[in-house]
Structure formats: structure tokens, C-alpha cells
């Protein structure tokens, strides 16, 4: 038995090759293989421990977490491999010649692999793209699942994994929907028949866009008139969303709603054909009852606005329907919106008074005092019958005043009248020693400051 062990030891210790001053035996190679297998197992466990336990507890996001774990594994693997080679007696200085020969012969074959490797290191360090980002490359839209030393795995919206070499990610133009800010603007083309009222269409598209909770209210959706086609008027609905991975489902849902809204409003999408017809102008009496431009022109503030100003107003506000008993604003609360009454009747009530101090109808507006003078609501407004309001918030009101400077003077006059009425009713504290012109100038300064 001893002879067997002696022979086995002699056999495994017999040099197989020489590297400089180092001799490599079969036993050394077996030991190196065992160390390599153990090293691979330990590195996987450590990578998992870092990525799923330590860095998670430290609150590191998914992308940096993957990068830190991967780079740490690379560095420790290289360090332990060097220590292992020295432990089995390999003189690393003797490998320089061999490395030079191998590098000369394999440089062309490994050029693409080396490029992918260093590109992967670049991605992990600079992180223009990181794990969890939504990217688009060559028509492929998907989420980055893993960045390895050679390639990156991208999972498409159909849950198909695409393996992309790292050097392509570095050298190509890539859309990273998650880079810094996830909010993205989406273009939805719409074509309608000639004869369609652009204002009527704009109102329809914006109404549909604002019904989807995934469409951001700021920046607000808008409508562009793109071109005159052979048989169509070409528009685009532009909206913003912070859910770029849902862009296609959002487009689909909006298209369904647009089709339904067009049917309700009798807006036609033409067939691609040549039609000869006799033109007949549409009279005012034939316009729908809910035609928003006509309703807005009933409000004193916008009675003399042209179509371009009305269209811009439609983009900056939204409709709000209400039923009997709805409370639009409450006395004492802060206000961020003011309301234009398109139809319906509304009661203005204040605490301590049994009867309403005013009744507002179509063409009136309310809520502007709180928005423009930065004061709490001076009254509570309740719907007396079903009605429709046009709502403009503080931010869009600022844009409206910038676009229509003459509106500032008109609103200042209206505010001065309202303020005087409320002061006479004891709802506002009178300003001492301030004449009517001074009061108007003070209000105008506040309007312009807004």
C-alpha cells in the first residue's frame, strides 16, 4: 500500500512542463483546477450575498447594486487567481513571454471579445445604462436585466430576452427612457376629414387625454396641426407620461377612447378615396350644444377672443361636470383653481348667513380672488343644478396671462369690482386710505406678478 502511495505521489509530482524557473506538475494542475472550481463557487455566493443582502440593506438601487457586485467579483477573482498561481509554484514573471506570444496570435480573434469586455466595464462604471433601465436599440424596446463582462441581457415588453454585445451599447445610439428623468413626450397622430372644426377636434382630443391617469397634467397635453393631406387634416396629440414602458398600451387605450369620442361628436375619419361633393357651410344654429369655443365666448373675459386664442385657452384648461349639491370650493380653504361657468346655476354662500349672497350662471366665473390674491376662499360655491365648468389652475393661468396681456387689465377690473362687493358685504377687510385707482393698480400688480 505504501508503494502505491509513493508511486502516486511520484507520478503527480513529476514535472509536465516548465515555465521559466517554475515547473508545473500534474498535482499542481489538479490543485489549480480544484482551486478554480472553489473560487468560482465562492465568487457566485459572494456576488449573490452582496447584491441581495448587503447592498439591499444599505438602500442601494438596483442598477448600482448590480454594478458594484459585478466589479467586486471581477477584482477578487483576479486577485485570488494570482495568489493561487503563486501558491502552486508558478513564477508569474515567466508568463510574460507566453502571454506575449499568445496575445500576438489571439489578438485578432479576441479583439471583439476584449472590446465587449472593456465596454461592459465602462457601462458598469459610468452607468449611462444600468440594470432596470428601459432602453430602445434597433427597434428593440425592453428592460436591462443583466450586464455581464461580454453582453447585456435586455427583456422586451413581450418577455423575450435579447442578448446585446456590450460594444454595441457603447458605440451605437441608444434611447434610454429611464436616464435621469423618466418623463417622456409621446406623439399620437390623428387624421380627420376636411370640414372638421379644428377647435372642436382639439377639445375632443384633450378631453380624452385628460381622462387617462397615466397622462401627466403638467406638462399639459396639447394638439398640433401638422399638415393638410390629400384627403385629411393631419393633427398630433402630444402628451407626457412618466411610465415609458406603458407607452404602447397608453396609445392603444387613447385610440379606443378617441374612436368613441369621435363617434359621439360625429367627427369623421375619411377613407383614402377621392370624393366629389358640394360644400355647404355650417351655421351657428347647427353647432352642438356642448361646442366648447361657443361656451367659452359666453364668458365676459373671452367674448372677443379669436379662434387661435380660444384654441390656446382650451389647451390650458379642462372641463368639469357637476351634479346638484356638488361643492366646488369651500370658504376658508386655499385655492389653486378658478372656474368659468359654461352652463348651470351655482349658489355663493358664506358662513353666518342663511341666504346665498349671489347666484352665478352661464358666462360668470368665480374662484379668481383666492388664486390671484393669494388669500383663502371667501365663500362656498355649491351647484344648484347639473352644469359644466371650465377649470384653469394657477400654473396655466400664469401662461394664459403671458399669452394674452390684455386679459390682465380685464381681470384686474373684475377683481376690483368683486373685492369692493365683498368689502361692502363685510367679507373682506377694507384697505384704509386707498382710492379706487390705487386699489386697481395694486390688484393689477398682483396679477402681473402671478
Amino acid at each position: 500500500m505504501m508503494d502505491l502511495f509513493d508511486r502516486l505521489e511520484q507520478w503527480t509530482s513529476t514535472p509536465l512542463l516548465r515555465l521559466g524557473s517554475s515547473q508545473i506538475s500534474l498535482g499542481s494542475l489538479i490543485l489549480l483546477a480544484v482551486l478554480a472550481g472553489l473560487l468560482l463557487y465562492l465568487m457566485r455566493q459572494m456576488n449573490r450575498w452582496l447584491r441581495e443582502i448587503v447592498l439591499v440593506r444599505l438602500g442601494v438601487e438596483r442598477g448600482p447594486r448590480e454594478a458594484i457586485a459585478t466589479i467586486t467579483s471581477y477584482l477578487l477573482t483576479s486577485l485570488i487567481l494570482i495568489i493561487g498561481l503563486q501558491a502552486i509554484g508558478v513564477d508569474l514573471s515567466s508568463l510574460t513571454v507566453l502571454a506575449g506570444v499568445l496575445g500576438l496570435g489571439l489578438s485578432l480573434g479576441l479583439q471583439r471579445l476584449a472590446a465587449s469586455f472593456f465596454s461592459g466595464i465602462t457601462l458598469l462604471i459610468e452607468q449611462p445604462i444600468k440594470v432596470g433601465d428601459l432602453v430602445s436599440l434597433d427597434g428593440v424596446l425592453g428592460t436591462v436585466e443583466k450586464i455581464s463582462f461580454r453582453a447585456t441581457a435586455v427583456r422586451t415588453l413581450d418577455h423575450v430576452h435579447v442578448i446585446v454585445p456590450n460594444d454595441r451599447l457603447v458605440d451605437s445610439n441608444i434611447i434610454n427612457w429611464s436616464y435621469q428623468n423618466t418623463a417622456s413626450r409621446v406623439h399620437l397622430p390623428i387624421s380627420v376629414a376636411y370640414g372638421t372644426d379644428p377647435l372642436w377636434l382639439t377639445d375632443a382630443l384633450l378631453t380624452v387625454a385628460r381622462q387617462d391617469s397615466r397622462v401627466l397634467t403638467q406638462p399639459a397635453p396639447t394638439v398640433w396641426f401638422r399638415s393638410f393631406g390629400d384627403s385629411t387634416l393631419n393633427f398630433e396629440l402630444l402628451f407626457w407620461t412618466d411610465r415609458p414602458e406603458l407607452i404602447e398600451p397608453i396609445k392603444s387605450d387613447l385610440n379606443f377612447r378617441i374612436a368613441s369620442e369621435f363617434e359621439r361628436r360625429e367627427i369623421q375619419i375619411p377613407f383614402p378615396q377621392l370624393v366629389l361633393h358640394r360644400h355647404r357651410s355650417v351655421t351657428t344654429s347647427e353647432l352642438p350644444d356642448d361646442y366648447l369655443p361657443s361656451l367659452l365666448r359666453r364668458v365676459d373675459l373671452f367674448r372677443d377672443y379669436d379662434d387661435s386664442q380660444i384654441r390656446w385657452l382650451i389647451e390650458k384648461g379642462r372641463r368639469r361636470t357637476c351634479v346638484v349639491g356638488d361643492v366646488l370650493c369651500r370658504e376658508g380653504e386655499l385655492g389653486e383653481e378658478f372656474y368659468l361657468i359654461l352652463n348651470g346655476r351655482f349658489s355663493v354662500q358664506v358662513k353666518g348667513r342663511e341666504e346665498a349672497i349671489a347666484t352665478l350662471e352661464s358666462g360668470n366665473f368665480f374662484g379668481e380672488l383666492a388664486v390671484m390674491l393669494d388669500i383663502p376662499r371667501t365663500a362656498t360655491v355649491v351647484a344648484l343644478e347639473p352644469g359644466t365648468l371650465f377649470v384653469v389652475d394657477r400654473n396655466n393661468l400664469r401662461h394664459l396671462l403671458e399669452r394674452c396681456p390684455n386679459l390682465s387689465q380685464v381681470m384686474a377690473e373684475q377683481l376690483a369690482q368683486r373685492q369692493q362687493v365683498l368689502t361692502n358685504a363685510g367679507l373682506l377687510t377694507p384697505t384704509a386710505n386707498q382710492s379706487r385707482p390705487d386699489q386697481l393698480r395694486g390688484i393689477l400688480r398682483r396679477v402681473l406678478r402671478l
Side-chain angles (χ1 to χ4, degrees):
M1 182 66 68
M2 292 298 296
D3 292 340
L4 178 61
F5 282 111
D6 291 340
R7 290 180 181 179
L8 183 61
E9 181 181 359
Q10 183 180 4
W11 181 57
T12 56
S13 60
T14 301
L16 296 178
L17 56 93
R18 179 182 295 275
L19 293 174
S21 60
S22 302
Q23 294 182 348
I24 307 299
S25 63
L26 179 61
S28 299
L29 294 178
I30 295 175
L31 179 60
L32 181 61
V34 172
L35 289 176
L38 181 62
L39 174 64
L40 181 61
Y41 174 77
L42 291 176
M43 286 303 99
R44 288 181 177 178
Q45 295 300 318
M46 190 192 68
N47 188 296
R48 176 177 169 274
W49 177 66
L50 273 176
R51 186 177 63 252
E52 300 180 4
I53 299 177
V54 176
L55 297 177
V56 171
R57 292 181 179 178
L58 292 177
V60 181
E61 295 182 357
R62 184 185 177 189
R65 190 166 68 233
E66 293 283 345
I68 293 172
T70 303
I71 293 176
T72 303
S73 298
Y74 289 168
L75 295 177
L76 289 180
T77 299
S78 302
L79 178 62
I80 296 176
L81 183 60
I82 293 174
I83 295 174
L85 290 174
Q86 290 180 337
I88 64 175
V90 176
D91 184 6
L92 296 181
S93 62
S94 63
L95 297 178
T96 55
V97 177
L98 178 62
V101 175
L102 292 176
L104 182 61
L106 300 178
S107 59
L108 294 178
L110 297 179
Q111 184 177 6
R112 187 66 181 270
L113 182 62
S116 295
F117 175 79
F118 288 107
S119 296
I121 297 296
T122 302
L123 292 175
L124 291 171
I125 294 176
E126 293 187 359
Q127 293 194 345
I129 298 172
K130 57 182 181 294
V131 175
D133 284 356
L134 182 71
V135 299
S136 178
L137 173 65
D138 295 338
V140 175
L141 178 66
T143 304
V144 177
E145 289 294 311
K146 182 180 180 181
I147 302 177
S148 62
F149 75 94
R150 189 194 68 83
T152 295
V154 178
R155 177 174 54 83
T156 69
L157 301 181
D158 296 325
H159 284 217
V160 176
H161 285 79
V162 179
I163 308 301
V164 183
N166 290 330
D167 58 326
R168 287 191 59 198
L169 296 177
V170 173
D171 296 337
S172 303
N173 294 327
I174 300 173
I175 299 175
N176 187 350
W177 297 90
S178 306
Y179 190 73
Q180 294 184 348
N181 185 6
T182 58
S184 307
R185 189 166 70 172
V186 184
H187 297 243
L188 185 62
I190 302 293
S191 297
V192 297
Y194 272 90
T196 303
D197 187 337
L199 297 181
W200 186 234
L201 174 70
T202 299
D203 179 36
L205 295 179
L206 294 179
T207 299
V208 168
R210 291 173 180 135
Q211 291 173 352
D212 197 312
S213 60
R214 297 164 296 184
V215 174
L216 299 180
T217 57
Q218 293 295 336
T222 185
V223 176
W224 286 359
F225 194 155
R226 277 297 188 185
S227 63
F228 296 90
D230 292 336
S231 57
T232 61
L233 301 176
N234 301 318
F235 293 81
E236 271 192 351
L237 171 62
L238 285 76
F239 62 90
W240 291 78
T241 180
D242 55 3
R243 303 288 302 278
E245 72 279 6
L246 297 180
I247 284 179
E248 294 305 322
I250 293 175
K251 283 184 176 180
S252 176
D253 291 344
L254 290 180
N255 281 330
F256 275 112
R257 293 181 180 180
I258 289 173
S260 177
E261 187 72 9
F262 279 11
E263 183 178 359
R264 186 181 73 82
R265 295 178 181 240
E266 298 182 352
I267 297 177
Q268 295 184 357
I269 300 177
F271 293 102
Q273 59 186 0
L274 181 63
V275 179
L276 298 177
H277 59 87
R278 185 175 59 187
H279 175 72
R280 182 178 65 89
S281 59
V282 179
T283 62
T284 305
S285 60
E286 294 176 334
L287 293 174
D289 293 337
D290 59 346
Y291 184 63
L292 188 55
S294 297
L295 295 176
L296 288 173
R297 287 194 174 97
R298 296 178 186 174
V299 181
D300 294 337
L301 291 175
F302 313 114
R303 191 177 304 279
D304 298 326
Y305 273 30
D306 58 28
D307 284 353
S308 63
Q309 292 173 312
I310 290 294
R311 182 190 64 81
W312 202 82
L313 176 62
I314 291 173
E315 291 183 350
K316 294 304 176 184
R318 57 184 174 85
R319 293 194 199 209
R320 175 177 173 179
T321 58
C322 53
V323 298
V324 177
D326 276 355
V327 177
L328 283 308
C329 58
R330 294 184 183 276
E331 183 179 352
E333 294 181 350
L334 296 178
E336 292 293 329
E337 299 175 335
F338 92 99
Y339 306 88
L340 311 171
I341 301 177
L342 302 181
N343 53 60
R345 295 173 60 249
F346 299 84
S347 172
V348 182
Q349 306 170 359
V350 296
K351 295 178 181 178
R353 302 202 177 195
E354 296 182 358
E355 297 182 355
I357 63 171
T359 299
L360 303 178
E361 298 180 345
S362 174
N364 295 132
F365 57 92
F366 62 91
E368 75 289 347
L369 278 173
V371 174
M372 306 188 73
L373 302 184
D374 292 323
I375 61 176
R377 300 286 192 190
T378 56
T380 300
V381 180
V382 182
L384 297 177
E385 61 186 34
T388 305
L389 302 167
F390 190 77
V391 185
V392 180
D393 61 30
R394 183 190 298 270
N395 186 53
N396 283 324
L397 179 59
R398 176 174 59 84
H399 292 299
L400 188 63
L401 292 172
E402 291 174 353
R403 184 68 175 261
C404 308
N406 60 319
L407 183 61
S408 302
Q409 180 69 32
V410 176
M411 293 197 74
E413 294 175 358
Q414 295 281 347
L415 285 169
Q417 295 175 8
R418 295 274 181 97
Q419 195 172 21
Q420 187 61 46
V421 171
L422 293 173
T423 300
N424 295 338
L427 301 177
L428 282 181
T429 302
T431 304
N433 300 324
Q434 189 177 45
S435 64
R436 167 78 176 181
D438 291 338
Q439 182 185 27
L440 182 58
R441 282 194 293 270
I443 293 176
L444 183 57
R445 282 195 299 270
R446 293 191 183 188
V447 171
L448 295 177
R449 187 166 61 246
L450 175 67

